[in-house]
Amino acid sequence: MINLKDIQEFVKNNNYDIKLTNNGRWIDQKCTPDVVCIVADCIIHYLEDNEYDSEFTSGNIWKNNYTKEYVEEIFSKPGTNHKKSRNEYDKFFSQPLELLASSKILRKTKKGIRNFYTVNNLELLEFVSLKERNTIEFLYIYIKKVLEDSDIWQDFAQFFEIQTQEAYYELKTNFEDFIIEHTKINKETEVRRIFTKVINIIAYKNKKFGTNRGRISKHIITYSNLMYNQVNFRDMYHEKPKNMTRKEWESKKGIEINVNYYKYQSAKAKKLLRKYNDEKRFGYSEVDDEYKQGKATQVHHIFPQHKYPEIAGYLENLICLTPTQHFYKAHPNNNTQIIDNEYQELMLKSKSGIIQEDIEEYGDNSIYNFKQVIEVLNIGFEKDYEVADNDFVKVMNIINSYYQ
């Protein structure tokens, strides 16, 4: 798989100067990391069903069977019965496609009024499609390069150094003037929607203030601030009484969760982990016990999906098991509603060791993320641990302490 240096080399070889391209759609309102990641994934599956050099349109992607099975309902807000209009739904595919074409991951050809695409860099498209954190890394590198090529990066750098309301307004005004002058976009409102997608990715990567509702944000931009479908579960359940279940709390507080989104994330993560385990571990179980014999065909949620949907798609919460381990130990008597606490402890320890080995060997190119290890523990244990980066000794101590 390609790494961040490969992405930097790729963008280095392209000139994204807006003054030359006059391209106002190099990024757009619907281009959140989760939406771009999903669309890239849908393109990959479309190509698997067809030829990899196939030409395709936006409609080809969102009408594909894989998209209809896993993705169609994701873009409907939770709690609503109606589907988005054709035009609105199409934006969730057409805008990321334009971004991918503007970055040169895809090639675009216009025939009449329709845009047709082919893949220019399959490895980079696959990288973006695997997980949202990959998409964020790509977007940050791409956005920064566009701003540098367009000679407006210094305006953003100045804001991230000063971080005042005055500096924010100056940056926003300069960006609006620049886009209106050099592209076909002529409305400030439209530019502001794009501005949000530009500034907040940079703010997140640099742990800085960004934008929120037309003003400088009151807080440092977080991962969930960047997403279309993501909510801040830590804040959502922060005040939940210990004697109340999560479902009771959700009902009381009127919390609505887009279940389809987490089902999709879970299915996608399971597929990735199974493939990775087959390639790197020869399909062996990730738990070394007396039931490990045979192929590890089962991908199991350590903390169950129905109870913790927000981490259902985290590789750090998934583990490859043999059928015996899965249906006899992880779920006693094949009852998927029951969790064996002793086996859950063993799985967490085994998975933590595997994650540590993978991060130590592959570094930033690991499929795992240490911060998500801690997030899994915080959500699964309903705690608020803070752990120094890659401190797996502390992780083991947390697991031991909890189960004692």
Side-chain angles (χ1 to χ4, degrees):
M1 185 187 297
I2 65 173
N3 55 41
L4 298 184
K5 288 184 179 179
D6 295 323
I7 299 173
Q8 289 165 346
E9 191 64 28
F10 175 81
V11 301
K12 181 182 177 181
N13 292 327
N14 290 292
N15 187 351
Y16 303 120
D17 187 352
I18 296 171
K19 299 189 299 299
L20 298 177
T21 64
N22 305 125
N23 181 9
R25 301 300 177 187
W26 61 280
I27 193 168
D28 219 323
Q29 181 184 3
K30 306 300 184 187
C31 294
T32 57
D34 51 342
V35 173
V36 174
C37 185
I38 287 170
V39 171
D41 181 45
C42 290
I43 295 170
I44 294 294
H45 279 83
Y46 175 84
L47 296 174
E48 288 175 352
D49 293 341
N50 298 273
E51 298 293 331
Y52 273 91
D53 59 353
S54 294
E55 192 174 58
F56 55 88
T57 66
S58 173
N60 291 142
I61 302 304
W62 64 267
K63 291 176 183 176
N64 191 38
N65 289 335
Y66 175 83
T67 307
K68 295 178 86 61
E69 181 178 357
Y70 288 105
V71 175
E72 191 166 359
E73 296 300 324
I74 289 175
F75 298 125
S76 296
K77 290 288 188 180
T80 61
N81 295 319
H82 67 279
K83 293 183 179 180
K84 291 183 178 291
S85 68
R86 176 188 174 93
N87 182 55
E88 185 69 9
Y89 186 66
D90 184 57
K91 287 179 183 178
F92 284 100
F93 293 88
S94 61
Q95 291 184 3
L97 280 169
E98 282 296 291
L99 181 150
L100 293 169
S102 296
S103 68
K104 311 300 183 187
I105 292 178
L106 302 179
R107 297 187 191 93
K108 184 177 80 168
T109 305
K110 205 167 188 67
K111 300 180 183 179
I113 61 171
R114 301 179 70 192
N115 293 325
F116 290 80
Y117 304 91
T118 54
V119 176
N120 182 48
N121 191 313
L122 182 60
E123 281 190 310
L124 186 44
L125 181 65
E126 289 175 334
F127 176 87
V128 172
S129 75
L130 285 178
K131 54 183 179 178
E132 291 160 0
R133 291 191 183 276
N134 282 12
T135 311
I136 291 172
E137 295 293 348
F138 159 70
L139 286 174
Y140 175 69
I141 293 170
Y142 167 60
I143 289 169
K144 190 171 185 287
K145 182 63 161 54
V146 173
L147 299 177
E148 288 172 341
D149 287 351
S150 304
D151 298 322
I152 53 174
W153 169 252
Q154 66 275 8
D155 294 344
F156 285 84
Q158 183 176 353
F159 165 70
F160 287 117
E161 182 69 28
I162 300 174
Q163 294 276 271
T164 64
Q165 184 65 35
E166 292 75 16
Y168 169 83
Y169 276 128
E170 182 178 353
L171 171 62
K172 187 171 74 165
T173 301
N174 289 346
F175 185 79
E176 290 167 4
D177 292 344
F178 179 87
I179 295 298
I180 290 172
E181 179 182 355
H182 295 288
T183 74
K184 293 180 180 179
I185 298 175
N186 55 21
K187 294 181 180 179
E188 291 180 350
T189 302
E190 204 167 351
V191 182
R192 288 167 186 168
R193 291 174 181 147
I194 295 170
F195 177 71
T196 299
K197 299 302 177 287
V198 173
I199 188 175
N200 280 352
I201 286 282
I202 305 169
Y204 169 74
K205 285 292 295 178
N206 291 280
K207 298 181 174 60
K208 298 285 187 177
F209 298 104
T211 185
N212 183 41
R213 298 184 178 182
R215 296 178 60 85
I216 188 171
S217 61
K218 293 181 180 179
H219 307 286
I220 301 297
I221 294 298
T222 65
Y223 184 86
S224 60
N225 294 147
L226 303 178
M227 303 299 173
Y228 172 78
N229 260 303
Q230 200 108 351
V231 292
N232 192 326
F233 284 91
R234 181 175 291 188
D235 290 346
M236 186 181 293
Y237 296 107
H238 180 67
E239 297 178 352
K240 182 182 76 65
K242 295 293 184 183
N243 61 349
M244 183 179 290
T245 67
R246 289 162 66 91
K247 287 194 177 297
E248 290 171 341
W249 180 251
E250 289 165 10
S251 177
K252 179 180 178 180
K253 301 295 287 186
I255 297 170
E256 296 174 332
I257 296 173
N258 192 335
V259 176
N260 294 298
Y261 172 67
Y262 294 105
K263 284 183 177 178
Y264 161 76
Q265 290 286 72
S266 175
K268 181 178 169 183
K270 282 184 173 183
K271 179 181 176 182
L272 172 59
L273 183 61
R274 187 179 290 111
K275 179 181 178 183
Y276 193 78
N277 193 59
D278 286 345
E279 291 176 355
K280 300 295 183 181
R281 297 176 53 82
F282 308 104
Y284 296 145
S285 171
E286 293 188 287
V287 175
D288 186 7
D289 66 1
E290 60 185 305
Y291 306 102
K292 68 179 182 179
Q293 301 304 319
K295 187 94 169 178
T297 59
Q298 308 296 305
V299 182
H300 170 75
H301 287 96
I302 301 174
F303 293 106
Q305 177 176 337
H306 70 274
K307 190 173 181 181
Y308 305 100
E310 63 270 38
I311 53 174
Y314 280 28
L315 296 170
E316 296 78 7
N317 186 42
L318 293 173
I319 191 164
C320 290
L321 303 175
T322 65
T324 304
Q325 289 174 324
H326 189 216
F327 298 119
Y328 178 68
K329 294 300 295 181
H331 295 300
N333 299 319
N334 199 15
N335 186 337
T336 57
Q337 300 301 307
I338 298 176
I339 296 295
D340 184 304
N341 283 337
E342 288 185 9
Y343 209 69
Q344 185 181 62
E345 178 184 4
L346 176 60
M347 287 188 292
L348 279 172
K349 289 178 176 178
S350 295
K351 189 69 186 188
S352 296
I354 288 169
I355 293 171
Q356 181 178 7
E357 291 174 3
D358 202 89
I359 290 176
E360 288 176 351
E361 182 171 355
Y362 299 109
D364 291 338
N365 296 320
S366 171
I367 64 169
Y368 299 110
N369 180 282
F370 183 78
K371 289 181 180 178
Q372 290 190 182
V373 172
I374 306 307
E375 193 171 348
V376 165
L377 294 178
N378 279 331
I379 291 172
F381 292 160
E382 298 188 18
K383 301 289 185 179
D384 195 19
Y385 301 112
E386 292 185 6
V387 182
D389 203 25
N390 294 337
D391 187 351
F392 283 95
V393 173
K394 181 69 177 292
V395 167
M396 287 298 184
N397 287 338
I398 288 171
I399 297 170
N400 281 328
S401 177
Y402 180 83
Y403 287 98
Q404 285 175 1

